[in-house]
Amino acid sequence: VSVALKKLEEEIGTPLFDRSQRHPFPLTAAGRLLYSYATRILAMRTEVRSSIRDLVEDQQPSLRLGTHESISLYLLPSLMRTFNEAHPGVKTELVCGNTEGLLTALANGTIELALVGDAPDEPQLESHFIMRDELVLITSPRHRFASCKQVHVKDLAGELLIVQGTKSMLRERIVQAFHESETPFSVSVENIAIEAIKRMVAEGLGVGFVPLMSVRDDVANEKLSFLRLEGVRNEWNLSLVWRKKNSISRTAQDFMDVTLRNAAERSDDRPGELKKTSKQDRIFVVQPRRQVHC
């Protein structure tokens, strides 16, 4: 190893280790720079081998992506349409789950990318902000809150709540808000999908909490009403996440590029909102932050 390192330093033309320090010798500035390039070269080598293997074993390129149920229903279709127009013929393998499960899938290589809300700030993860949505309270149009624009968590005392599973990060926010306001958390139905929450709320079985983007058609068709909830952190940031040590395939990189470009073309800094033009013509607009990381 010493001989190989000496030959490498002779080839580079400068020391790569600071031998004036005690063992273990720290890298010099040139050594750190070479190391950063070397890791990228090795990652590209792994990516090339993976891409060639995919080409040999399966002529059809594939995208292995994980996301939440709500994103798969209300955001992913538009992203996939744009992606497929630019890269036709890609086979997409989709995994839906909560953040904990998706991060596990990233770690074991089941998926390459995860599109999640409130991406954790962990050193082994890399993330790109995509857009900002909002957590809202939904009610039946016949509910006493239907005409309100906003209520406080305390106002929900005695209301029957229809909520997601115990591992949902959005549910955790609600539980914490009820606890901090000393309001009883009276669950009517739990551990159900967002579409089921919406249907039960529409039938007057209780009130629910969902991402704003998930009530587009229902509010436009006057099947549901939504209002903002005070006392709860309602901002919901959506990001693309992957593991730094894992190589990203060309197809996954293409999806990242298309998604980030799509996000950059949107222009406002407000969360998704409902813009009403008339009773017959109501438009749902998801407006993300204008931000791209390079």
Side-chain angles (χ1 to χ4, degrees):
V1 173
S2 298
V3 172
L5 289 176
K6 182 178 180 180
K7 290 183 177 180
L8 182 60
E9 287 180 325
E10 291 175 354
E11 180 182 349
I12 297 298
T14 185
L16 300 176
F17 293 90
D18 183 358
R19 293 177 174 81
S20 66
Q21 304 294 323
R22 297 182 62 184
H23 185 77
F25 305 128
L27 290 169
T28 63
R32 291 193 296 271
L33 181 61
L34 177 61
Y35 177 77
S36 68
Y37 275 95
T39 54
R40 288 157 61 185
I41 291 170
L42 290 174
M44 291 179 65
R45 176 178 179 269
T46 303
E47 178 184 335
V48 168
R49 293 181 64 181
S50 176
S51 298
I52 292 176
R53 184 179 63 250
D54 292 343
L55 180 64
V56 172
E57 296 178 354
D58 186 353
Q59 295 295 325
Q60 184 180 18
S62 62
L63 170 67
R64 293 178 288 119
L65 175 68
T67 191
H68 304 313
E69 177 216 4
S70 57
I71 297 176
S72 71
L73 291 172
Y74 309 110
L75 175 61
L76 189 60
S78 62
L79 295 179
M80 291 305 304
R81 182 181 65 250
T82 304
F83 174 69
N84 288 338
E85 288 173 353
H87 303 277
V90 174
K91 178 180 67 177
T92 302
E93 301 174 20
L94 184 64
V95 174
C96 286
N98 55 41
T99 300
E100 180 183 347
L102 294 175
L103 294 183
T104 300
L106 277 177
N108 60 33
T110 304
I111 58 176
E112 291 186 88
L113 301 173
L115 183 54
V116 299
D118 289 343
D121 185 14
E122 298 180 2
Q124 69 271 28
L125 297 177
E126 190 77 39
S127 66
H128 280 302
F129 174 84
I130 299 299
M131 60 163 282
R132 184 160 56 95
D133 196 27
E134 184 178 357
L135 177 65
V136 295
L137 176 72
I138 58 172
T139 71
S140 161
R142 302 176 298 278
H143 194 277
R144 61 191 180 99
F145 289 149
S147 60
C148 301
K149 293 184 178 179
Q150 186 168 291
V151 296
H152 195 277
V153 171
K154 292 182 178 180
D155 299 324
L156 299 182
E159 292 288 336
L160 295 178
L161 309 178
I162 304 174
V163 294
Q164 293 176 280
T166 55
K167 292 187 177 182
S168 165
M169 297 182 69
L170 295 183
R171 173 186 168 134
E172 290 179 5
R173 291 192 195 181
I174 299 299
V175 173
Q176 180 181 356
F178 272 75
H179 176 74
E180 292 175 351
S181 65
E182 299 181 348
T183 304
F185 188 70
S186 304
V187 175
S188 172
V189 183
E190 64 180 351
N191 293 327
I192 62 173
I194 286 181
E195 281 299 311
I197 292 176
K198 290 162 51 179
R199 287 176 179 266
M200 290 187 178
V201 169
E203 293 295 330
L205 300 179
V207 298
F209 310 94
V210 298
L212 178 56
M213 64 180 174
S214 69
V215 295
R216 174 184 56 189
D217 296 333
D218 305 275
V219 173
N221 295 327
E222 299 184 349
K223 294 180 179 179
L224 290 172
S225 297
F226 86 94
L227 55 154
R228 289 175 171 85
L229 192 60
E230 288 186 90
V232 175
R233 183 171 64 89
N234 54 24
E235 184 177 284
W236 194 41
N237 295 324
L238 308 183
S239 303
L240 264 180
V241 180
W242 66 98
R243 289 181 65 86
K244 293 179 180 178
K245 292 185 178 181
N246 292 6
S247 61
I248 301 297
S249 68
R250 182 70 260 172
T251 303
Q253 184 63 57
D254 289 339
F255 180 80
M256 290 170 55
D257 295 341
V258 169
T259 302
L260 293 173
R261 188 162 58 248
N262 196 9
E265 291 171 356
R266 304 174 187 269
S267 59
D268 212 321
D269 190 31
R270 293 169 292 176
E273 64 177 23
L274 285 169
K275 288 189 174 181
K276 297 183 179 180
T277 56
S278 68
K279 187 173 181 180
Q280 291 77 25
D281 183 20
R282 297 181 179 177
I283 305 173
F284 178 86
V285 181
V286 176
Q287 296 174 314
R289 185 176 301 153
R290 194 176 188 79
Q291 179 176 343
V292 177
H293 301 272
C294 299

